[in-house]
């Protein structure tokens, strides 16, 4: 995903080892007799992943970071994509067998024995962090020619990295805590820190029939997010668990405003702000996202890149979204 936030992130976790683990489907003919190559870096450098693969086999490869990325040490943010490559084989057959078949090359036919079924891919960094973006691929892969072809590729989501405790790692190596003065104000006013008990608070879960869909935490019911007016928006927080928690805010009713700290259960969050939803060509579109939060005060929009990534992961396009962030110096 092309991002306008490239270069805004601060230090991320630095690693010096990366292992890719692929599992082949345990079904008949799921393996392959030809070599598979892997690429992860920005320059499409290739490393042999395996010479052959058998049905049900789990293959682990230690990635040559120097070859893939040009350095022995990289950050998790740099692992943005992964792809497998393969050269298909052409097998010669007798004229009687070939009679009546449509051939790409005279006297040869593309063999299906190179096809294979990929079940899952897991990335392990420094033996601490793991990424299961591709835990359920379950797809037959096919090399269409006798040249080196890409047979599968995927985007590695940073938000899917977890540590050895199975907890999401802090994006940008940090989360944003509630500032002390707003926190004291919340306590003095007995504001609830349990978003599941606050009416109207939901979790954004994706798109259905062109509409943004959320899950109401208090009622357990799904809802369609309504379009905003000039005097309304949705306040939101992005939690370290990878959830986008929101609530509609009518700005003409200040007494009904729910603070970001309440949406975030009073805990640190990855990012917080507002977004607006409009109807465009019979679809709900997120027209604006910002990081305006007086309780958390995110720094200069650096965290918004991960919010954009989360939207894309939920199937919500941000092609027409306007991104705004407060000046980190203010």
């Amino acid at each position: 995903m092309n991002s306008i936030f490239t270069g805004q992130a601060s230090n991320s976790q630095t690693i010096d080892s990366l292992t890719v683990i692929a599992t082949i489907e345990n079904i008949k003919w799921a393996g392959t007799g030809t070599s598979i190559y892997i690429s992860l870096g920005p320059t499409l450098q290739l490393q042999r992943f395996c010479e052959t693969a058998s049905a049900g086999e789990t293959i682990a490869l230690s990635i040559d970071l120097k070859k893939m990325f040009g350095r022995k040490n990289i950050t998790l943010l740099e692992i943005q994509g992964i792809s497998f490559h393969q050269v298909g084989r052409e097998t010669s057959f007798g004229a009687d067998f070939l009679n009546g078949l449509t051939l790409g090359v005279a006297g040869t036919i593309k063999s299906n024995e190179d096809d294979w079924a990929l079940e899952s891919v897991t990335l392990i960094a420094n033996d601490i962090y793991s990424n299961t973006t591709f835990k359920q691929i379950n797809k037959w892969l096919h090399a269409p020619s006798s040249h080196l072809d890409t047979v599968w590729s995927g985007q590695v989501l940073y938000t899917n990295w977890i540590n050895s405790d199975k907890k999401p790692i802090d994006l940008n190596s940090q989360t944003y805590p509630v500032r002390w003065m707003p926190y004291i104000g919340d306590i003095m006013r007995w504001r609830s820190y349990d978003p599941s008990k606050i009416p109207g608070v939901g979790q954004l879960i994706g798109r259905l029939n062109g509409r943004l869909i959320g899950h109401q935490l208090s009622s357990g019911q799904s809802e369609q997010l309504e379009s905003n007016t000039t005097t309304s928006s949705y306040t939101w927080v992005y939690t370290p668990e990878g959830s986008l928690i929101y609530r509609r805010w009518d700005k003409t009713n200040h007494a009904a405003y729910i603070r970001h700290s309440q949406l975030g259960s009073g805990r640190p969050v990855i990012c917080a702000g507002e977004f607006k939803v409009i109807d465009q060509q019979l679809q709900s579109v997120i027209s604006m996202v910002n990081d305006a939060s007086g309780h958390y005060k995110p720094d200069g929009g650096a965290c918004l890149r991960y919010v954009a990534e989360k939207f894309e992961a939920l199937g919500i396009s941000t092609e027409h979204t306007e991104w705004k962030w407060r000046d980190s110096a203010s």
Side-chain angles (χ1 to χ4, degrees):
M1 178 184 67
N2 294 328
S3 173
I4 63 172
F5 307 109
T6 302
Q8 292 182 352
S10 57
N11 293 333
S12 178
Q13 281 75 4
T14 300
I15 64 167
D16 56 18
S17 71
L18 178 65
T19 300
V20 176
I21 303 172
T23 299
I24 311 302
E25 291 265 25
N26 190 22
I27 55 178
K28 192 174 183 179
W29 311 115
T32 179
T34 59
S35 296
I36 301 171
Y37 297 84
I38 189 173
S39 179
L40 289 109
T43 58
L44 290 180
Q45 292 291 328
L46 296 176
Q47 182 176 345
R48 187 195 297 269
F49 189 74
C50 62
E51 293 187 3
T52 61
S54 303
E57 183 179 4
T58 296
I59 305 168
L61 176 72
S62 178
I63 299 299
D64 185 340
L65 295 180
K66 176 69 174 179
K67 179 178 181 179
M68 288 286 185
F69 296 90
R71 304 189 312 280
K72 294 183 177 179
N73 296 278
I74 64 171
T75 67
L76 292 181
L77 282 172
E78 295 176 78
I79 309 172
Q80 298 182 0
I82 179 173
S83 56
F84 286 120
H85 308 261
Q86 187 180 16
V87 177
R89 291 184 293 183
E90 291 179 338
T91 303
S92 298
F93 295 93
D96 291 341
F97 179 84
L98 295 172
N99 186 33
L101 294 179
T102 300
L103 303 179
V105 180
T108 64
I109 187 173
K110 178 68 179 62
S111 172
N112 288 331
E113 67 183 44
D114 301 328
D115 295 0
W116 54 292
L118 181 60
E119 179 178 296
S120 64
V121 174
T122 302
L123 285 72
I124 306 293
N126 280 8
D127 295 322
I128 299 175
Y129 309 113
S130 62
N131 190 299
T132 56
T133 298
F134 315 110
K135 62 182 178 182
Q136 289 184 329
I137 299 174
N138 303 321
K139 185 176 182 180
W140 279 94
L141 305 179
H142 171 71
S145 73
S146 58
H147 303 287
L148 185 65
D149 294 299
T150 301
V151 295
W152 178 84
S153 64
Q155 179 187 359
V156 178
L157 300 179
Y158 187 92
T159 48
N160 283 354
W161 284 104
I162 59 176
N163 60 26
S164 55
D165 294 327
K166 306 300 181 183
K167 297 180 180 179
I169 61 177
D170 291 343
L171 305 183
N172 271 344
S173 299
Q174 66 179 323
T175 51
Y176 296 94
V178 179
R179 302 302 173 110
W180 273 109
M181 290 308 295
Y183 177 78
I184 293 172
D186 290 340
I187 295 299
M188 292 180 64
R189 291 170 177 82
W190 296 95
R191 291 172 181 148
S192 172
Y193 273 85
D194 185 351
S196 68
K197 295 181 179 179
I198 302 175
V201 175
Q203 178 179 344
L204 192 62
I205 59 176
R207 180 190 293 275
L208 179 64
N209 297 328
R211 301 296 179 178
L212 299 182
I213 303 298
H215 179 80
Q216 283 285 312
L217 301 185
S218 59
S219 67
Q221 300 295 314
S222 296
E223 67 170 351
Q224 175 182 305
L225 272 66
E226 298 179 1
S227 295
N228 290 117
T229 65
T230 56
T231 59
S232 71
S233 66
Y234 288 90
T235 53
W236 59 269
V237 298
Y238 188 22
T239 72
E241 290 77 25
S243 298
L244 275 167
I245 307 299
Y246 67 85
R247 189 177 190 272
R248 187 179 175 87
W249 175 26
D250 180 359
K251 298 183 179 182
T252 64
N253 185 4
H254 293 283
Y257 176 66
I258 298 298
R259 273 68 180 171
H260 286 109
S261 56
Q262 295 174 270
L263 298 181
S265 303
R267 302 179 301 136
V269 299
I270 294 168
C271 203
E274 302 172 45
F275 66 76
K276 278 184 172 288
V277 175
I278 63 171
D279 279 342
Q280 187 177 86
Q281 297 179 345
L282 302 179
Q283 291 192 345
S284 299
V285 176
I286 295 181
S287 62
M288 183 278 293
V289 181
N290 67 30
D291 66 346
S293 172
H295 277 68
Y296 289 108
K297 294 187 182 299
D299 185 13
C303 62
L304 287 175
R305 62 178 298 168
Y306 308 109
V307 179
E309 185 178 88
K310 181 64 177 181
F311 281 140
E312 295 289 345
L314 291 174
I316 301 171
S317 173
T318 58
E319 180 181 359
H320 303 292
T321 300
E322 178 184 9
W323 297 89
K324 300 179 180 179
W325 52 86
R326 66 170 71 236
D327 187 349
S328 59
S330 63

